[in-house]
Amino acid sequence: MTNPLLSDQPLPAFGAIEAEHVEPAVRGLLDENRAAIAALLDAGADGWDSLVVPIERMHHRLARAWSPVGHLNGVMNGEALRAAYNACLPLLTAYHTELGQNERLWAAYQRVADRSGASLAPEQRKVVENSLRDFRLAGVSLPPERKQRFGAVMERLAIAQAKFDENVLDATHAWSRHVTDSAELEGLPANAIERAREAATAAGQDGWLLSLDAPTYQAVLSHAVSEPLRREFYEAWVTRASDRGPHAGQWDNGPLMAEILALRHEAASLVGFANFAEYSLATKMARDPAEVIEFLLELARVGKPAAEREFAELERFAGRTLASWDVAFFSERLRKERLQVSEEALRPYFPLPRVLAGLFTVVHRLYGVRIVANPSVETYHPDVRYFEVLDRDDTPRGGFFLDLYARPKKRGGAWMDECVGRIRLEGSTALPIAYLVCNFSPPSGNQPVLLTHYEVLTLFHEFGHGLHHMLTRVDVPSVAGINGVPWDAVELPSQFMENFAWRDEVLPLVSAHVETGEPLPHEMLARLQASRSFQAGMQTVRQLEFALFDFRLHAEYRPDQPQRIAETLAEVRDTVSVLRPPEFNRFPHSFQHVFSGGYAAGYYSYKWAEVLSADAFGAFEEHGVFDQGTARRFLASILERGGSRDAMEAFVEFRGRKPRIEPLLRQMGLAA
Ligand SMILES: [Zn+2]
């Protein structure tokens, strides 16, 4: 019997994949790769075709086998799969470290660069340059015992980060609030109440069961009239996986956070960097820590005074001092009163099928590709659908699995991930396939799912990542799609797409009232657009708080005073925040972007890329949102190019100059 993870079919065989397939597939591929690389080196391979192409092919195959495992672990987290996933993490980390530290392989890549550097195509040169950089970052030239230590550190780091995620997931699912008196639910949107009713029924209880998933949490904080209920939810949310709150100490990430920071610092030091922030920047657009800090403080100089004015206004409106669990609630009321816009009132205009159809129309008008559902493709859950992306002449260009609803055992948030990467090399071809994941409220009864405008933005955002992956024309997997793109430029295509969901030309395409079919009326549309800059200062300082906290945590780490997490956060809040959260707030304990995701010393990337995306969208504002020439240039310079060229060069090619910060400030209503 063949292992379904090793199949070379275009799509994963989800129906056949079991936890027991994972470890044999991974071990088998790693062994094969090791033997194949040793054979290449023994044969003296040191050219593009003889060395780089076979290695790209084997890593494409490994990524393909591992992708459904990592994905299912994120969206269908069960015990057996979790164990199999965790068993493989150290194997993969050890393999990557070993490759990165392989001196013979390094020398062979060096010879490719020296001997055929001039004759390589630009994308090939980029692959070789990236590889040489990564050898250095893995400590290829270190003495043996330091090499070994680096490997051990990376392996332990992968395990600690995965455990951090597990703790957050388990802590989130462990908490729920049973309500028996309907008065407590006052203010909550009907769909949230309906879901809570269904959850209670499913659990064999009367009344309503409110869980701690993101849509429910947002609904309670923004709409629940009961302050005690909001406070209870707030406390449960901000103390997840910590030493405080309703499950204090049960999944406490505190010790893991200290360990993760120490390991990162040690790894960076071993390969010659002063700290992990510098190590992180070695693969990013930003040049050095000072540039990042200066960039964030420049935004703070504009954002903080605006945030202070907005917060004072909010307290005047509420008529009292506000606590952390009051801000979303009174903001929603103020927004409703001042701008006559409420997310809940907009929902009926955004039925999911209409939003999807509108989004596909936008993409078609911009880039000429068509998106069609293919219900015959096997998925991993009844809620998940598969779509194909077809070129102008109907040839397949790529595809994606769309997984939109929150459910138990699924990680929160929204993201795009690579299912299959594009490859077109001697002996291997594959089209790019993506996973697009959100956590919208699932349908209840026979109502279609109705989205808030914020959720429409989320969908556009993830689709932007998806287009970056699926429209790539790069043939070499390690620089195709989002691969090889500096992390602080990765959010350019995604945040860029969000801009469309605010426009006159686009909103009628994505809206149709669920009962009347009428698109969003013009005056509602105008009010929605006016709300874009609502509390822009407060939103900005919140992002700056996350970004500065993350960056300073890694840049200022000292082995002799490792426990500076809470202190650093307090200092950052003194600099940028307008509201001091309560003492029990432990938000870092569930800050997955930074402690377990890829955003360590890189959270600033959101703001950094927002400058790029606002400026890039400016070209569409100047020439027309659906201007064909502008869209073609964006496609050719940015979307199709992946990581095959320098991110700044690509931006300059599209925009004709370097990025400017003013378009972002204008977009947010913060321009002087
Ligand atoms: Zn994103």
Side-chain angles (χ1 to χ4, degrees):
M1 228 210 58
T2 52
N3 189 319
L5 290 171
L6 301 177
S7 147
D8 57 1
Q9 291 302 300
L11 298 169
F14 282 116
I17 296 172
E18 300 289 342
E20 73 215 39
H21 296 126
V22 175
E23 216 181 314
V26 170
R27 282 187 187 276
L29 284 175
L30 295 183
D31 287 346
E32 271 178 43
N33 287 0
R34 283 188 173 99
I37 289 169
L40 288 173
L41 293 174
D42 289 343
D46 58 4
W48 174 263
D49 290 329
S50 61
L51 179 77
V52 184
V53 166
I55 289 180
E56 287 282 331
R57 282 173 47 193
M58 55 185 99
H59 288 152
H60 170 79
R61 189 153 174 253
L62 178 61
R64 271 187 83 139
W66 183 242
S67 165
V69 179
H71 181 64
L72 291 175
N73 190 53
V75 299
M76 303 275 282
N77 191 292
E79 252 174 65
L81 187 67
R82 184 188 276 199
Y85 175 86
N86 284 337
C88 290
L89 270 186
L91 304 177
L92 286 159
T93 315
Y95 171 78
H96 287 300
T97 304
E98 184 187 309
L99 270 196
Q101 295 184 342
N102 184 327
E103 286 170 58
R104 285 172 74 208
L105 188 60
W106 177 41
Y109 268 85
Q110 193 63 63
R111 284 199 301 279
V112 177
D114 294 344
R115 292 228 306 267
S116 36
S119 62
L120 294 176
E123 76 180 40
Q124 297 174 334
R125 216 164 26 239
K126 193 82 171 81
V127 170
V128 176
E129 271 169 27
N130 287 356
S131 302
L132 291 174
R133 175 198 69 196
D134 294 342
F135 282 114
R136 188 170 61 88
L137 292 178
V140 71
S141 55
L142 296 178
E145 72 280 7
R146 295 183 70 185
K147 261 187 184 169
Q148 203 176 23
R149 178 63 195 156
F150 182 87
V153 166
M154 295 312 267
E155 196 173 308
R156 176 61 203 156
L157 193 53
I159 294 169
Q161 294 184 158
K163 186 68 191 159
F164 183 96
D165 261 348
E166 280 178 13
N167 285 340
V168 175
L169 189 67
D170 291 348
T172 305
H173 288 302
W175 193 87
S176 60
R177 172 67 152 71
H178 187 211
V179 173
T180 48
D181 177 2
S182 66
E184 265 198 290
L185 302 173
E186 191 190 343
L188 283 186
N191 73 322
I193 295 176
E194 177 59 29
R195 277 194 302 128
R197 163 73 84 186
E198 287 168 6
T201 308
Q205 290 175 326
D206 57 350
W208 301 265
L209 196 60
L210 295 163
S211 59
L212 201 56
D213 60 84
T216 306
Y217 174 70
Q218 298 298 349
V220 171
L221 268 279
S222 306
H223 303 289
V225 174
S226 160
E227 184 183 340
L229 187 68
R230 292 201 309 269
R231 190 196 182 283
E232 224 180 300
F233 259 81
Y234 174 84
E235 185 179 352
W237 182 263
V238 302
T239 57
R240 284 176 302 156
S242 81
D243 58 330
R244 301 297 299 269
H247 290 287
Q250 214 171 327
W251 292 279
D252 187 4
N253 269 334
L256 278 174
M257 291 153 71
E259 189 187 359
I260 288 167
L261 290 177
L263 290 167
R264 285 178 184 158
H265 185 83
E266 188 183 352
S269 310
L270 279 167
V271 292
F273 292 89
N275 52 60
F276 186 79
E278 287 195 0
Y279 177 85
S280 155
L281 294 190
T283 53
K284 293 190 172 70
M285 248 179 115
R287 285 182 302 262
D288 54 47
E291 189 182 15
V292 173
I293 296 281
E294 182 44 43
F295 166 70
L296 295 172
L297 293 179
E298 184 185 349
L299 280 174
R301 279 191 288 276
V302 185
K304 177 92 183 276
E308 279 169 341
R309 280 195 304 275
E310 291 158 5
F311 190 68
E313 184 193 17
L314 190 63
E315 288 201 324
R316 266 199 310 279
F317 171 75
R320 65 176 173 88
T321 307
L322 295 179
S324 295
W325 50 87
D326 295 324
V327 174
F329 178 74
F330 284 102
S331 295
E332 184 62 22
R333 297 204 145 186
L334 176 64
R335 197 166 95 119
K336 223 181 270 181
E337 189 184 287
R338 187 74 34 96
L339 299 159
Q340 309 279 310
V341 190
S342 92
E343 284 283 21
E344 290 308 317
L346 289 168
R347 261 190 210 272
Y349 286 98
F350 296 118
L352 181 60
R354 172 69 179 181
V355 176
L356 274 182
L359 170 59
F360 297 166
T361 302
V362 169
V363 171
H364 177 66
R365 287 181 61 180
L366 285 171
Y367 309 122
V369 295
R370 282 200 309 126
I371 294 162
V372 284
N374 183 347
S376 70
V377 167
E378 172 182 45
T379 69
Y380 50 89
H381 188 279
D383 286 348
V384 180
R385 297 168 71 199
Y386 182 77
F387 292 84
E388 274 163 13
V389 180
L390 304 173
D391 244 325
R392 285 175 202 276
D393 59 359
D394 276 355
T395 51
R397 180 103 178 231
F400 59 95
F401 292 92
L402 189 65
D403 181 351
L404 292 181
Y405 309 132
R407 62 176 171 264
K409 313 272 182 192
K410 176 172 166 181
R411 195 196 307 145
W415 68 91
M416 189 286 296
D417 210 349
E418 176 180 302
C419 172
V420 180
R422 179 180 151 106
I423 187 170
R424 199 165 284 229
L425 293 172
E426 181 69 43
S428 303
T429 56
L431 289 177
I433 310 295
Y435 304 112
L436 295 174
V437 185
C438 295
N439 270 280
F440 300 150
S441 301
S444 67
N446 31 23
Q447 271 262 1
V449 171
L450 304 175
L451 302 183
T452 62
H453 183 254
Y454 179 80
E455 290 171 329
V456 174
L457 292 174
T458 302
L459 196 58
F460 271 66
H461 177 106
E462 299 311 332
F463 213 78
H465 284 305
L467 291 174
H468 202 188
H469 175 58
M470 294 184 286
L471 298 186
T472 195
R473 292 283 192 197
V474 179
D475 296 335
V476 192
S478 68
V479 289
I482 61 168
N483 293 328
V485 177
W487 205 257
D488 44 3
V490 154
E491 298 292 338
L492 161 59
S494 52
Q495 300 188 128
F496 167 80
M497 269 310 279
E498 288 183 41
N499 288 291
F500 287 88
W502 288 102
R503 299 287 304 194
D504 288 346
E505 301 88 336
V506 172
L507 280 163
L509 297 174
V510 294
S511 62
H513 194 280
V514 64
E515 275 151 24
T516 65
E518 168 203 22
L520 196 63
H522 187 75
E523 36 97 36
M524 277 182 98
L525 191 152
R527 290 199 305 262
L528 174 64
Q529 287 165 334
S531 75
R532 189 175 189 183
S533 56
F534 179 66
Q535 293 185 342
M538 282 166 66
Q539 287 172 35
T540 301
V541 296
R542 193 177 143 79
Q543 287 297 308
L544 293 177
E545 178 184 321
F546 296 160
L548 277 168
F549 168 63
D550 159 54
F551 204 79
R552 285 188 49 186
L553 203 55
H554 292 96
E556 296 167 11
Y557 185 88
R558 303 278 173 279
D560 54 334
Q561 37 176 217
Q563 295 296 353
R564 295 254 318 144
I565 299 175
E567 289 84 343
T568 305
L569 184 56
E571 287 167 19
V572 166
R573 282 176 171 157
D574 283 342
T575 318
V576 295
S577 307
V578 290
L579 170 67
R580 217 18 122 86
E583 188 280 328
F584 63 73
N585 180 300
R586 292 288 184 275
F587 111 82
H589 289 67
S590 58
F591 197 5
Q592 288 165 286
H593 277 81
V594 163
F595 286 101
S596 58
Y599 285 85
Y603 197 88
Y604 78 88
S605 300
Y606 280 108
K607 277 289 158 210
W608 185 275
E610 215 178 341
V611 169
L612 305 178
S613 64
D615 198 2
F617 191 71
F620 287 79
E621 290 172 325
E622 288 157 22
H623 299 107
V625 164
F626 289 115
D627 180 67
Q628 287 304 291
T630 312
R632 230 183 341 263
R633 278 190 296 118
F634 189 76
L635 181 65
S637 305
I638 312 278
L639 291 180
E640 292 182 343
R641 297 296 265 279
S644 69
R645 66 179 304 189
D646 179 79
M648 182 60 89
E649 269 176 37
F651 184 90
V652 171
E653 180 184 279
F654 168 67
R655 201 64 176 103
R657 56 163 174 74
K658 289 198 164 177
R660 293 181 186 151
I661 200 169
E662 290 74 19
L664 175 62
L665 298 181
R666 234 185 357 257
Q667 191 179 81
M668 303 197 67
L670 292 174

